[in-house]
Amino acid sequence: VAMRFGKRFAEITQGSRANQPFISYKELKHTVSKISAVIGASGDNAGDSSGDDAGGASGAEDAVGGCSSALVVGVSPAGSSSVDNHQHEFFRQLDTDVMQAKAFVLSQVSSLEVIAGEWQSAAVLAGLLFTQEQLDEISAELKFQQPCQAALIEWVASLRSKECSPDARRDLVSKFNLVAEGVNSLLSYIELNLTALRKIFKKFVKKVPKGVHIQSTRDYRNHYDLFALSFQDLLVTTTQMQRVVASCARAEAGDMTTIAQVGPETLALITRLRAVGAECADGVEDVLGAPPPALIDVYAKPTVELAAPPAIVPQRPAATAA
């Protein structure tokens, strides 16, 4: 028998780093039970584990359709006030959880950007990445016409990669692994929180009749920021880094960390981001269109300990990946 989501979620969050915030699934579940008790609608739903074992990633909003058959029970004025207060408590807690989770994601992205910047600098020195000025100089010195800049980059990189020393390759692999492991940890973190949010929304719409809702879960969008634009940029950059390292460090390929596949909950969120016209990072479509083979494990404990982000994040050097 599969372990119920709530129990497994509690094990993961209790074993996580102290500064890693998660959706308060247990507390939110308790608030939903209080609302249900006040309106006298617990009945057959008492002890219900709705959503704890269900699979799929149809998204939190899809659960709203399940409340159409709910009966609105007559509630006294005092009870109505209590129901509203508990719902306000529910959404306030959720807003706080999402805000803290977003802040955590952004802080980790800032730290990883610094490491990615160091990797890019090392790659430029190794002749594997090129600034626009370098490409212009090379192009001006050539006696023949290049078909396009991408072809020029590929040609020059193929020459330079052979000159990359073993020490330089190992350094590039090491720095890449730090970024890739951090990105994988964040992918798992975002996926787990989105799963918790979808399941608590499903429980909310099942136990709380639609007629007394003060806010529609379908219209809730604060969690959209979990897959932040800066993290999308980092994911695209890390994928490009992986291609560069793989092309020049074939001997060290076995030591490279594989970027995890974007999980179903995150993919469902991205679909909704596109539907509402939200801005997405350039190149993210390519990353999502051809995901690497590694599967994301949302139940795995984070393995990367990152230092606190610096007050000022240095600008990454403008460079074009081979």
Side-chain angles (χ1 to χ4, degrees):
V1 179
M3 181 182 293
R4 291 169 62 176
F5 174 78
K7 184 176 180 180
R8 189 71 183 104
F9 185 77
E11 290 181 356
I12 299 166
T13 54
Q14 289 170 4
S16 66
R17 290 152 46 189
N19 68 331
Q20 198 168 31
F22 289 91
I23 297 296
S24 303
Y25 183 80
K26 182 178 180 179
E27 290 77 8
L28 291 168
K29 181 179 175 182
H30 181 61
T31 302
V32 170
S33 296
K34 289 193 292 185
I35 300 171
S36 180
V38 171
I39 62 178
S42 52
D44 294 338
N45 288 336
D48 175 66
S49 61
S50 59
D52 278 3
D53 301 313
S58 57
E61 293 90 340
D62 294 344
V64 175
C67 69
S68 58
S69 61
L71 297 177
V72 180
V73 182
V75 182
S76 66
S80 178
S81 176
S82 181
V83 167
D84 288 353
N85 289 337
H86 286 319
Q87 289 190 76
H88 284 300
E89 175 189 345
F90 176 88
F91 284 105
R92 276 198 303 269
Q93 181 65 61
L94 194 58
D95 288 343
T96 299
D97 291 344
V98 170
M99 180 181 64
Q100 291 176 344
K102 175 188 174 183
F104 175 78
V105 169
L106 294 179
S107 71
Q108 299 304 292
V109 168
S110 294
S111 295
L112 291 170
E113 284 178 335
V114 174
I115 304 174
E118 293 173 351
W119 179 94
Q120 289 178 328
S121 297
V124 169
L125 292 176
L128 300 175
L129 288 185
F130 309 95
T131 64
Q132 188 60 51
E133 291 76 9
Q134 288 175 318
L135 291 174
D136 291 341
E137 289 178 7
I138 295 173
S139 179
E141 292 177 3
L142 293 177
K143 304 298 183 182
F144 56 88
Q145 183 69 30
Q146 306 86 45
C148 62
Q149 189 172 85
L152 174 64
I153 293 172
E154 183 177 357
W155 176 66
V156 177
S158 66
L159 299 177
R160 295 286 185 85
S161 62
K162 299 176 183 178
E163 303 172 3
C164 188
S165 69
D167 288 342
R169 290 198 299 268
R170 284 192 291 269
D171 182 54
L172 289 171
V173 170
S174 176
K175 286 184 170 63
F176 165 77
N177 284 346
L178 286 175
V179 178
E181 288 165 7
V183 166
N184 287 349
S185 181
L186 284 177
L187 284 171
S188 176
Y189 175 78
I190 293 170
E191 184 76 4
L192 182 59
N193 277 288
L194 291 177
T195 303
L197 187 141
R198 176 176 60 84
K199 288 182 178 294
I200 198 61
F201 272 171
K202 183 177 181 180
K203 193 174 293 292
F204 179 88
V205 299
K206 183 168 185 175
K207 288 198 170 189
V208 182
K210 185 176 182 180
V212 299
H213 287 185
I214 64 169
Q215 181 176 341
S216 169
T217 58
R218 187 183 299 276
D219 297 331
Y220 190 86
R221 296 183 178 180
N222 287 359
H223 62 296
Y224 286 13
D225 289 337
L226 285 179
F227 196 61
L229 186 61
S230 59
F231 179 59
Q232 295 178 42
D233 285 328
L234 179 63
L235 179 59
V236 173
T237 297
T238 308
T239 304
Q240 294 170 342
M241 290 166 59
Q242 181 175 247
R243 288 198 291 264
V244 173
V245 174
S247 67
C248 76
R250 292 182 176 85
E252 295 82 3
D255 298 327
M256 286 178 57
T257 298
T258 302
I259 303 172
Q261 182 174 332
V262 177
E265 300 286 351
T266 307
L267 288 174
L269 174 60
I270 294 168
T271 299
R272 293 193 289 276
L273 288 173
R274 293 168 178 156
V276 299
E279 183 181 6
C280 292
D282 293 337
V284 74
E285 299 282 351
D286 297 333
V287 173
L288 301 177
L295 296 177
I296 191 168
D297 180 6
V298 299
Y299 296 128
K301 294 180 181 179
T303 56
V304 179
E305 292 291 341
L306 295 175
I312 300 177
V313 178
Q315 293 294 320
R316 291 174 289 177
T320 307

